[in-house]
Amino acid sequence: MCFDNNDTSGGQDVYVKVRTESGLWRIVEDNFFGRDVYEFRSGQRDDIGDGRTVDFGRIAPGDQTMNRVFHAYDLANQAKNWTPGECWDSRDSGDCRRMEIVYPDDDDGDGSRYQWGDKSVWLEAAAPDDRTDTVHEYGHAVMADVYEDNRPPAIDNCSPHAMDTRSSKGCAWVEGFANFYPMAIFNNDEYRGWHVEDTTSYDSGDDTEGRVTGSLWDLMDPSGERYWDHHQESAKNAIWDTLLDRRSNTFQEFWTHRGQEGHDVGSGPGGALYQNGIDYGFRNQLTDGQSKTLPTPDPQHNYRYDTTFRFWSVVALRPPAGVDYDLDLYDDQALQQRLDVSLATGDTVDFIAVDSNARGPGDYYPVVKRPLGGTGTGDYRIEVADSGKLLIGSDTKVMNGADDVTAVWDTCPAAGTEVTITATPSDASQDAELFLMDSDPANANTAVRGRYAATASGTANGPGQAESFKFTSQGGCYGVVLVNKAGTGTYTVTES
């Protein structure tokens, strides 16, 4: 700071005053006379000579209780540095709102809180010791600013509330966002001792604030979390954009508004929600040759895949040893139009094949579930094959044991031709099953076929042995389905 040094008495007498006040927030004490900003001043240096530079060094208040005051101030600074925009609400025009933070609040036992009535944050004496506790309340103030003080109507009955138990949809949204706000700022998955990656003890659904908190966190945290969260985005983009534009009253409204804003609400971000026990019609996306391992379906797991070619495709389910799961296939996301089922008993691999020569490419919705009365548990493997391959002479398929379950080819021999299909393993551990699928071009209902409807099959031989079948072509294109029951190696599939 530079200044005119003539004060008529031999140079300016200089001290530094520190106040808990900025253009966007201030920490105040509530007393009989009103609300006063905290301040302290350094010692004074008298008669500073012309041209001199004076270093006041490290200064701190003499009253140690002021440390928490300045910690609260610093946390507001960190929150604003992270929050997008010049104002707390970056859509504000004209003046920015200044956040009023009252400290300490020791009188009424209500705890730290945001008061919508007078637009102020109230902090308990020890609140600044926990950055998530303090910035949680700042998050409420930010939401109030963004919502132009239009308090979500469903939060009136929000006390008491807890991370792991149901309250109401409105309460869970408002508190869940405020929980998430410090987690995003400090890039930490912990809120007041709760690790939101471990929600096994939480009530499910979007009326539990911990589920909302975890869903928002999993939208931004690194992808690849077992089993459902394979999505990552910046918390400052779609989440903040939707918050600023829409004034959602519940998390479900927020998700609807997110889609209306043009942001992704598909299987990627939907999986982040599903990871946290919130299901808004999530369908786990399957793609050709990319198998997935999932835990016990309780009660069921819902999927989607999209065919690309006018060839046969297949979706296959390999259950754990000694356990029976079943496979259904639907034509619609609402799971109202069931096309077929595969209900093989025991730990047999279930599959359903689709003839896109007859139906054309489209979207399909597999469902994995336990049979009625089933008690078995364990991880299963599911895979879609939609490679658009034509079997002419021979082809090879590498199967990587736990990874690969199935493959499919079209074969289109002339009518009246007798054909033999053989699958030969390269390793003694491999156990193949081979099937021929057929449909009637005049009957679209036959274009989706479960395992039970195979026209021919070879399944009797054990590990390390070739499987084969013969058939006489009636014309058109058949689907050749290879199932890898077990083992790792290369299968050679031959048409002769």
Side-chain angles (χ1 to χ4, degrees), residues 26-350:
R26 67 178 195 155
I27 315 295
V28 298
E29 180 183 22
D30 190 62
N31 56 45
F32 179 79
F33 300 101
R35 293 180 179 175
D36 295 326
V37 173
Y38 288 92
E39 64 177 49
F40 76 94
R41 53 175 286 179
S42 70
Q44 183 169 299
R45 303 287 291 275
D46 291 339
D47 298 330
I48 302 297
D50 289 346
R52 300 294 299 273
T53 298
V54 178
D55 181 1
F56 278 79
R58 181 180 183 276
I59 60 175
D63 181 358
Q64 293 298 300
T65 62
M66 286 282 286
N67 287 339
R68 281 175 167 164
V69 175
F70 285 98
H71 194 184
Y73 183 94
D74 185 50
L75 290 171
N77 183 59
Q78 290 178 273
K80 186 61 204 74
N81 284 342
W82 180 90
T83 304
E86 186 177 1
C87 302
W88 295 104
D89 175 3
S90 62
R91 301 288 196 268
D92 276 346
S93 59
D95 295 337
C96 297
R97 176 181 294 189
R98 181 160 61 185
M99 186 184 297
E100 184 91 341
I101 303 164
V102 181
Y103 178 88
D105 175 38
D106 292 325
D107 296 333
D108 53 18
D110 287 343
S112 297
R113 64 197 184 280
Y114 177 76
Q115 293 191 163
W116 288 76
D118 70 351
K119 307 175 187 178
S120 61
V121 172
W122 291 68
L123 297 177
E124 289 183 302
D129 297 347
D130 183 340
R131 65 186 186 181
T132 58
D133 186 13
T134 296
V135 180
H136 169 100
E137 303 305 334
Y138 298 169
H140 284 312
V142 171
M143 177 177 277
D145 187 2
V146 168
Y147 281 23
E148 306 300 339
D149 303 309
N150 293 296
R151 176 174 174 151
I155 70 169
D156 291 333
N157 298 318
C158 202
S159 182
H161 61 86
M163 283 282 283
D164 58 346
T165 56
R166 292 187 178 92
S167 53
S168 69
K169 289 179 179 290
C171 181
W173 163 236
V174 171
E175 294 298 333
F177 170 78
N179 297 342
F180 163 74
Y181 185 60
M183 293 167 59
I185 290 167
F186 302 117
N187 194 29
N188 192 306
D189 69 354
E190 183 176 332
Y191 171 73
R192 299 193 71 182
W194 295 88
H195 290 275
V196 299
E197 303 288 9
D198 181 11
T199 60
T200 53
S201 64
Y202 291 18
D203 291 342
S204 61
D206 60 5
D207 52 359
T208 299
E209 69 178 81
R211 297 292 187 179
V212 173
T213 305
S215 294
L216 291 168
W217 171 256
D218 275 344
L219 287 172
M220 64 162 281
D221 75 342
S223 61
E225 181 183 353
R226 297 184 71 187
Y227 289 93
W228 315 104
D229 179 14
H230 303 290
H231 179 79
Q232 184 178 21
E233 64 185 54
S234 169
K236 298 183 180 183
N237 292 338
I239 294 174
W240 210 257
D241 184 55
T242 304
L243 178 79
L244 292 173
D245 285 347
R246 292 289 181 160
R247 299 183 191 169
S248 312
N249 289 319
T250 66
F251 184 64
Q252 188 166 24
E253 278 190 17
F254 172 80
W255 198 248
T256 300
H257 291 156
R258 176 186 169 102
Q260 292 170 350
E261 287 288 297
H263 301 301
D264 188 2
V265 290
S267 61
L273 273 58
Y274 194 79
Q275 183 86 17
N276 288 277
I278 296 178
D279 184 6
Y280 293 153
F282 170 63
R283 305 292 180 257
N284 200 357
Q285 187 73 41
L286 299 171
T287 56
D288 172 50
Q290 302 296 315
S291 62
K292 294 186 177 184
T293 299
L294 284 304
T296 304
D298 189 16
Q300 68 183 46
H301 291 160
N302 304 325
Y303 296 87
R304 171 181 176 148
Y305 74 93
D306 299 85
T307 55
T308 305
F309 307 103
R310 286 188 174 273
F311 281 70
W312 282 84
S313 63
V314 62
V315 56
L317 157 70
R318 184 168 62 205
V323 177
D324 183 16
Y325 299 152
D326 291 333
L327 181 65
D328 293 1
L329 188 66
Y330 290 83
D331 199 27
D332 64 314
Q333 184 168 353
L335 308 181
Q336 299 298 308
Q337 303 171 34
R338 187 165 66 181
L339 296 171
D340 210 339
V341 298
S342 183
L343 307 175
T345 59
D347 56 7
T348 303
V349 175
D350 280 298

Side-chain angles (χ1 to χ4, degrees), residues 416-493:
T417 304
E418 186 176 84
V419 179
T420 299
I421 305 292
T422 304
T424 305
S426 66
D427 189 88
S429 68
Q430 294 172 262
D431 194 354
E433 293 184 317
L434 196 61
F435 301 87
L436 185 72
M437 313 306 293
D438 187 18
S439 69
D440 181 355
N443 184 356
N445 292 330
T446 67
V448 180
R449 294 292 206 185
R451 178 184 173 120
Y452 71 94
T455 298
S457 63
T459 61
N461 298 329
Q465 303 298 308
E467 297 284 1
S468 66
F469 57 74
K470 292 182 180 181
F471 71 102
T472 300
S473 174
Q474 303 300 310
C477 290
Y478 296 80
V480 176
V481 174
L482 173 65
V483 168
N484 182 39
K485 289 176 62 179
T488 300
T490 299
Y491 289 103
T492 301
V493 180

